[in-house]
Amino acid sequence: MMTFIGKRFALMIPMLLGITMISFLVMNLAPGEPIDVLTNLNPKATAEVRERLRSHYGLNQPLPVRYVNWLKRVVRLDLGYSFAQDNRLVWDKIRERIPITLTINALSLLLIIIVAIPIGIYSAVHQNSLIDRILTIFVFIGFATPTFWLALLLMILFGVHLGWLPISGLESSQFTHAGFWPMLGDRARHLLLPVLVSAFGGLAGLSRYMRSNMLEVIRQDYITTARAKGLKEIKVIGKHALRNALMPIITILGFSLPGLIGGSVIFETIFAIPGMGQMFYGAVMARDYPLIMGTLLIGASLTLVGNLLADISYALVDPRIRVGDHD
Amino acid sequence: MNKKAASILISILSLILLVACGQSSSPDDSQKIIKNNELEQKSVDKLTPVHGDTIVVGSIGDASNLIPLLASDSPSHQVAGLIYNGLVRYDKNLKLEGELAKSWEISTDGLTITFHLRHGVKWHDGAPFTADDVMFTYRLIIDPKTPTAYAGDFEQVKEAKIIDTHTFQVVYEKPFAPALASWGLSILPKHLLEGRDITKSPLSRDPIGTGPYKFSQWKGGEKIELTANQDYFEGQPYIERYRYRIIPDSATMFLELKAGNLDWMGLTPIQYDRQTAGKKFKGKFNKYRYLSFAYTYLGYNLKNPLFQDRRVRQALSFAINKQELIDGVLLGYGRVATGPYKPDTWFYHQPTRKYPYNPEKAKQLLQEVGWQDRDGDGLLDKDGHPFIFTVMTNQGNSLRAKTAVIIQRRLEEIGIKMKIRIIEWSAFINEFIDKKKFEAVILGWTTGQDPDMYDIWHSAKTGPKELNFISYKNPEVDRLLEKGRHTFAREERRKYYDRFQEILAEEQPYTFLYVPESLPIIAARFHGIKPAPAGISYNFIKWHVPQTLQKYTQ
């Protein structure tokens, strides 16, 4: 098992190198430079000013030199300074914004799992029943509903008309003056809609997936055998079928790890949540190279770690996967 | 679970219908709202203003750096503008007045400006403000190591001197009319910045200024909070706290306003006209409108043979119905632009040559140049080539995209085919504007309070990355712009700029389209707001909320 993990781990380094190299290249191929924000169509920015800014950011060096410099810093765990006008450490900016994005995505992932798996199982066991059909319709509505639209509707309903929930942001204005529990409650009220909205779309995929897995499993011989032996239905489904049907879900969870960080642009923008998605989008628009690279690096590492975890858990659950271990 | 979800969905859907119906009130209503509140306001204004309350302002973007020298985005300047002062500023009628400078003298040759600074001004940390701070700020801005986009104006200074602790003098190589206004830049505290790397200064996140508000808190991407400076030299502002909330989506921002969580935001024409006219807004908000410092134009690449004949450009100007653009795109909230200046400034001049919508005249002018529909396909042609060109504009500005579509239809009517291409901003500027690879563009300029337009219209500014990217060259305009920026006397200056506007009107290097209006909405509890040519925020420290109407008491 350890050799398996070791090998997989060693493979990750060249992969990460390749990913960052390609990202760096593609990013620099895009027209425009970080200093454009300051100088484009700005009558005060003369040619000298522009040159001065370019050398300040090291943009006058050739591309390979800049990449190697970046790599050298990364090895020392230094992601450098952001090119944005705030000139802050990339790591500081990411550290400031990562918790909230992680929280929302983790909560919504949790919600998806809690809701989608039972829906999937129920639909599979009661295949083609009325409730299965209603669930199917509901799930497809969720799949087809644009996030921003749903978000706006919920905001109008719960924020403006009923006034039950805050519309946007992370905390109420009196937040700092309250104790721990009111603070927690306030935060929870603010997170309710974003979590709901970000979970809604994912619900469809996972529940459908669960349903088809389950359907496949309950048609297997061993399930029929178990039933024939007089085992209770709840045990047949809950113990024997579920365990096998859940296996592919593990892979999906592994893949959703990087999703915990990226992919939040839309709901973070709509709900005015200062998270990673919003920051990354801004960084791309402003051509803030160090911040883009920093975020990509973390995203890529997470993807690789996610894959590794999926593989390991696979190997743990199903020994047939551990092919590399035989020698 | 599914039942609940279904019932929620149904209630949401029915609500949309309700909301949609509730918002369709007539525009006359909105006019009434303004009037009603104005009347109310007049009676309350007689009350003595009291201190207290918070104003919550909505913004699409976060500030980036609260050292104004290092920031070029408007959120940073909006917030920093309350924390710092300049030596001079524009008053409500856009005349320069002293801020940190009590007064100033300009020598008769126009080369030397001597500023007499206010006594008794203190930084927010209690240190006294002196001429040393002004000198330090000047040195910082011209220091090649400072990454600022604003050094240009100050590189013209030949010499800067401290005469005494409250007198500061600058000498210019040549008389430079925009010089005085350039000293409106925020003065930074020497005692906190000297000898340190400004790009890594804590002041960029935790500023110390001399202005009416002190910095109190900044939560990145979320909000910035300021509190009134009790020792402010013009008196403590009445509104106790200023909260700047960042809400990146304008629809969300509008919902926050509706729910009463925002006090001040800029509306889009449709929000101003249709969505804030209902009962909910009556009495709760006041709306204001005034011309913004900006205009939108259709610019022609004058290096392109298609647009080299002046009559072609004039014909296009005749063929475009500008009022229709204002009605269609801005819902009437704007004015026809006749040149590069905003109509209510001292340097605006209504040119004698005008371009009212007149497609017949356009056709006639085009015919003079040789453009005629010879093959009967509905398109004008000359030497076997049809009149087809592409207009480009940047992505993310729906007003410009709509403008392009309306113009496209009008030009089609006189036999010109205009294609539209919309491109992401950086790519647009770098790949097309800077390389002059465009035929025509729809863009806008933000106009300043000074008429100097050297950078946009002088023939010396047609190089790569420069602002005269349409390559306009006219020796007389060059001379006028040079004279204009080296003359201080307003009347004499005005003559140069009047002639400049006449020439542009005749030559039509741009078809000037419209000047949009700013449409702010502010909670009705705020009093003392007096719209003027400078907008509404010039007297912000005099705004106040009567005791009984105060909302945020904590």
Side-chain angles (χ1 to χ4, degrees), chain A residues 32 36 40-41 43-44 49-50 52 81 85-87 97 138 153 155 157 161 167-168 171 173 270 274 287, chain B residues 12 15 19 64-65 71-73 143-144 146 148-149 153 200 219-220 243 245 252 256 424 426 429-430:
Chain A
D36 289 350
N40 264 348
L41 302 191
K44 306 277 179 222
V49 166
R50 202 170 289 120
R52 192 205 276 189
Y81 285 92
Q85 293 157 30
D86 56 10
N87 243 295
R97 292 189 170 228
F138 170 62
L153 290 188
M155 282 154 95
L157 175 64
H161 286 274
I167 296 169
S168 69
E171 56 182 46
S173 46
I270 297 175
R287 310 286 192 270
Chain B
I12 291 171
L15 261 168
V19 174
S64 62
N65 191 322
S72 67
D73 55 304
D143 183 345
T146 307
T148 177
D153 280 349
K200 304 199 168 54
K219 291 203 166 180
R243 183 177 300 136
R245 270 196 67 188
T252 308
E256 287 281 25
E424 188 266 341
S426 269
I429 299 295
N430 286 286

Side-chain angles (χ1 to χ4, degrees), chain A residues 97-105 147-148 151 155 167-170 191 194-195 197-198 259-282, chain B residues 60 221-222 246-249 252:
Chain A
R97 292 189 170 228
I98 235 176
I100 188 64
T101 304
L102 277 181
T103 312
I104 293 178
N105 281 293
T147 313
F148 70 92
M155 282 154 95
I167 296 169
S168 69
L170 272 182
L191 287 185
V195 168
V197 167
S198 73
L260 289 183
I261 291 223
S264 313
V265 183
I266 295 176
F267 75 80
E268 281 180 7
T269 306
I270 297 175
F271 287 106
I273 291 167
M276 290 289 288
Q278 218 192 80
M279 183 181 75
F280 186 64
Y281 180 74
Chain B
I60 293 273
E222 216 183 318
I246 294 103
I247 304 173
D249 185 75
T252 308

Side-chain angles (χ1 to χ4, degrees), chain B residues 185-204:
Chain B
L185 104 145
S186 301
I187 302 298
L188 301 171
K190 180 187 178 189
H191 66 285
L192 295 172
L193 287 167
E194 195 176 30
R196 295 177 204 179
D197 179 357
I198 187 169
T199 60
K200 304 199 168 54
S201 165
L203 260 64
S204 61

